Structures are given as C-alpha cells and as structure tokens.
Amino acid sequence: MASTNVFDYGQALTKSLLYYEAQRSGKLPPNQRVQWRGDSALKDGSDAGVDLVGGYYDAGDNVKFGFPMAFTITMLSWSTIEFTNKLEAKNELSNALEAIKWGTDYLIKAHPQPNVLYGEVGDGGSDHACWQRPEDMTTPRTSFKIDEQHPGSDLAGETAAAFAAASIAFKAKNPRYSGQLLIHAKQLFDFARSHTGVYQNSVNVAGEFYSSSGYEDELLWAAAWLHRATNDKSYLDYLGQAGNTGGVRTEFSWDDKFVGAQVLVAKLVLEGKVMANSGAWAQYKNQAEQFICSCIQKGNSNVKKTPGGLLWFMPWNNLQYTTTATFIATVYSEYLYAKRASIQCSGGIVEAPALLDFARSQVNYILGSNPNGMSYMVGFGSKYPTQVHHRGASIVSIKKNSSPVSCKDGFTFWYNKNAPNPNVLDGAIVGGPNDGDGYTDSRSNFQMAEAATVTTAPLIGVLAKLA
C-alpha cells in the first residue's frame, strides 16, 4: 500500500531517542550526542555508601524517581521487543538499546542485595525550590530505599518488569547482560511478593509526586514479563490464580499497569498458549479489549476526545496517557494481524488496520495535525513548544557559560525570562493541550509544558512501526 505519511515518522523516532540522552544523569559517555549537557550528580549514593551514579532525571527537575524510571525502561523495552526489525531498518536499534541500558545499568546499581532496592535519589521538595542545571546542583542528594522492614511491592514489581522486559530486548545482542538482568528480575519479583506494601509508606518523599495506588497491577505485570522472558510455568500460574485481573481500566500509566498485563495475557490467548474460554484468561483478554474499544470510541464508556481528535484523559501531562493508549492499540493490531483475529466491541467488530489507523491519528495530532498547527514534540517541525518546563534546557549550557547558576538565580534570570529556552530538548513530548485543544507555551505552566521520560517511551515503538 502506498504510504501517505504527512509526517517524517523516522525523524520523530530519531529525536525521541535523543531525548533520553538529554535526560541522562551521571558521567556522560564519549558518544553522547546531546552536547549541551554535561556530567552531573557524580556523588549520588555516597550518603548511603552505594554507587547510585547514572540513570535518568524524571522530567524537568533533577530528581531520580525510581518508580516512573522503571516504567520508562519497561516501555522502552516493550517498544524495542515488538518492533526490533523496524528499529533496525531505521538504524535506531542500537540507540534504543542504549536508552534501555542507561536505565538498567543504574537499576542494577540500585539493587545491591536481593531484598534491597534504592527507589529515589534527591527529593522533590528541596529540588523544586531551586532552578538549576543538573551540572550545578546544590540541592541534597539523599538516597531512599525499600527493604524487608520497609517494603514496596509496586516499586520492586515494576523494577522486576523492567529487568525482565529488558532481558528480552538484549537476548540476541548481549546474552550475558540479558542473563544478568533476568537474575535481578526474579529476585525483585520474589521480594515484591514476599514483602508487601505500597512503596510511598517506606519512601515518604516519593508520595507527593509519584504515589502508587496499589501493587496488584505491578505484580501481574512483572509476572507477565517474567513469563515472556523465561517461559516458566510458575509465572503463568501466578497470573492464572490472580483474584483480581483489574477489570476494565480507564488508563495505562506509570501508576496503573493492569492494561499492560491484560494485553500480554491476551497475546497468550490469541496464540493458543492458554485456554481462551477459561476463567481468568478470558477475563484478561476481554478487559484488555474493552479498554481498546473505549479508546477507539467503540466501547460502552469511551475515552473523551478533544474537538481536534486527541484522546483526553486528564489535565496533568495528558499526553502520557495518550501515548500509552496509542502504543497498546499499535501492539494489539500486531497481535490481531498475526492471528487474523478481531475484537468484538459494543460498537462493532474491529480489525487490526483500524487500530493502526487510530494510532496514526493520535501520532499525527501530536506531531502537528491539530487545531494549533503545532507539534507537541519539541524540535519536530517548524512550530513546537519553546518554553518547556525543564531546568537544563531553560538555562544556558554549561559548555557555553560555566559559571554556576545558584538556586534562586535560576528563577530570576532563566525561569522567569519570557524567551525561548536556549537549548532545544529534542524529542521531548510536553504535557500537551487542554481538553479544548488549547496550549499555552509558558515555562510556568507545568501541567502542559513539562515533558517526562514516561511519555516518549511508548511512542518509540509506534513511531518505529509507522516509519
């Protein structure tokens, strides 16, 4: 079929992967492509006598939040696993694997013992009181962990999922590393199951920013990834005996992974690896498909859309929910296509091409096919957000001016400056427009103008497919 791409999806893919290099914490490698960034946070973990250098800054601040970071790595890995050939064809597979590995190398350090996991470095309160480049940080870099006395099944479970998914991504290119990741995944899943509780009860400072609504979803999600990585029946049994398969969800996000687990199980049903008509398996598949039906506006309670056609979930960083829903539709279209299957929505039968068309419509909106004629991916197209809420991007590069910017001077001279950021944060996807398609390009509007690592990760796979 002739391609009618309005947008250069390949270029969007390239920029998306560049974004992860701009978010890097720690000592930057010689092949670092985002040149306005420098080394930062080189003593992370020293307060606890552990090396916690590396990983990613979460969004526009300088905190390393383990919970959304792990979800980012799981989604980067899922994108890479499903669309390896497409990424290879666009010469982006090595960059995708690098993006995953920058995360997993850090997560390995953060997991020094089977039942100990560091879940945060720095804290949002003190960090947000300052506006500084990561290279200049003067804020406390306290390390926070979970352990047997202070559990966090959601954090441990999500990190297990990240390790398991990444182990699959690396299996062909780096089998030794893949095996190492799998050991961490198994240990963390066991820790999550045997010491239960939500992590913000143990890491209180995380609660204000990334509070988890429960841990059942992470345990199912981790089990689904471990099963896919090992084919070990014990993980399948765990999924099959779940008392709660999630029901029909209204989002797929850093906090709620039920949809992800449901889709991974639905794949097994479609492939005939579990019984299609028996209890839990049928439930997982039906619930996954109901979520998809509601996204494509053929369900019983459809996801709201803006007048311009964007899925709209909530005011704060709405696009993170749009990109995950778009990924789910894309990946499910692959699963359906492989088995010549379809979905029975209340609004009619839906086949693989319709899911891909829906995904393309959402990507096109994000890239500029919207009432504002604006790309919500920074650096893509001719019109995009210029005042992204991001410390490093909004202050002159340390390579251009190395004199330190103090905690409060950052606000006075950079945050409050009504001018484009000096550094373009290529590939970042901002929070996005409001429910009426309106967008205010202002650094202080963090609900709309802040980008986060969780938002771009699911789009890597979709862009690879469309390119």
Side-chain angles (χ1 to χ4, degrees), residues 349-427:
I349 290 176
V350 176
E351 295 182 327
L355 293 185
L356 198 56
D357 287 344
F358 157 76
R360 187 181 284 108
S361 76
Q362 296 302 297
V363 171
N364 287 351
Y365 183 106
I366 292 169
L367 295 182
S369 186
N370 57 59
N372 295 327
M374 175 179 201
S375 164
Y376 294 108
M377 178 183 283
V378 181
F380 185 86
S382 54
K383 184 184 175 189
Y384 50 81
T386 64
Q387 291 197 22
V388 189
H389 181 94
H390 188 280
R391 283 161 177 73
S394 70
I395 300 173
V396 65
S397 168
I398 196 151
K399 307 271 183 76
K400 285 197 171 153
N401 184 346
S402 60
S403 50
V405 176
S406 73
C407 169
K408 298 302 180 194
D409 279 355
F411 284 109
T412 308
F413 297 108
W414 298 102
Y415 179 82
N416 293 324
K417 188 177 183 181
N418 188 13
N421 289 347
N423 309 302
V424 177
L425 192 63
D426 275 327

Side-chain angles (χ1 to χ4, degrees), residues 151-231:
S153 309
D154 31 28
L155 176 63
E158 183 56 56
T159 311
F163 276 129
S167 80
I168 303 170
F170 279 103
K171 203 164 185 177
K173 300 267 184 196
N174 193 340
R176 203 185 128 269
Y177 189 64
S178 171
Q180 190 186 356
L181 297 175
L182 199 50
I183 291 167
H184 284 281
K186 290 175 178 176
Q187 289 178 346
L188 281 166
F189 181 66
D190 292 344
F191 174 36
R193 283 181 67 182
S194 59
H195 299 82
T196 56
V198 289
Y199 88 110
Q200 66 266 19
N201 290 347
S202 301
V203 181
N204 303 133
V205 292
E208 195 188 330
F209 301 94
Y210 288 101
S211 191
S212 167
S213 56
Y215 55 79
E216 288 174 299
D217 53 329
E218 280 83 13
L219 291 177
L220 296 178
W221 174 234
W225 278 114
L226 275 159
H227 175 258
R228 190 161 170 179
T230 62
N231 216 15

Side-chain angles (χ1 to χ4, degrees), residues 129-148:
C130 290
W131 195 263
Q132 290 176 292
R133 300 177 290 209
E135 297 86 358
D136 286 336
M137 254 188 293
T138 55
T139 42
R141 300 298 290 173
T142 316
S143 309
F144 301 92
K145 70 180 178 192
I146 55 170
D147 57 27
E148 291 177 8

Side-chain angles (χ1 to χ4, degrees), residues 289-290 292-302 345-348:
E289 292 180 348
Q290 293 299 315
I292 294 167
C293 292
S294 70
C295 289
I296 60 171
Q297 312 295 299
K298 287 187 184 293
N300 293 320
S301 68
N302 292 329
C345 293
S346 61

Side-chain angles (χ1 to χ4, degrees), residues 50-123:
V50 187
D51 173 9
L52 295 176
V53 176
Y56 288 111
Y57 298 120
D58 162 65
D61 54 22
N62 300 327
V63 185
K64 297 194 301 206
F65 290 105
F67 195 43
M69 193 193 308
F71 181 67
T72 298
I73 300 308
T74 313
M75 293 308 295
L76 281 172
S77 299
W78 198 0
S79 282
T80 302
I81 294 161
E82 299 289 355
F83 301 104
T84 298
N85 296 341
K86 292 280 192 180
L87 286 164
E88 190 117 63
K90 290 287 165 187
N91 293 318
E92 292 293 350
L93 180 59
S94 60
N95 288 323
L97 290 172
E98 283 291 321
I100 296 167
K101 193 167 185 289
W102 194 265
T104 49
D105 281 352
Y106 168 77
L107 294 175
I108 288 169
K109 293 177 172 184
H111 184 222
Q113 294 162 42
N115 293 355
V116 175
L117 176 65
Y118 284 85
E120 184 171 329
V121 182
D123 79 274

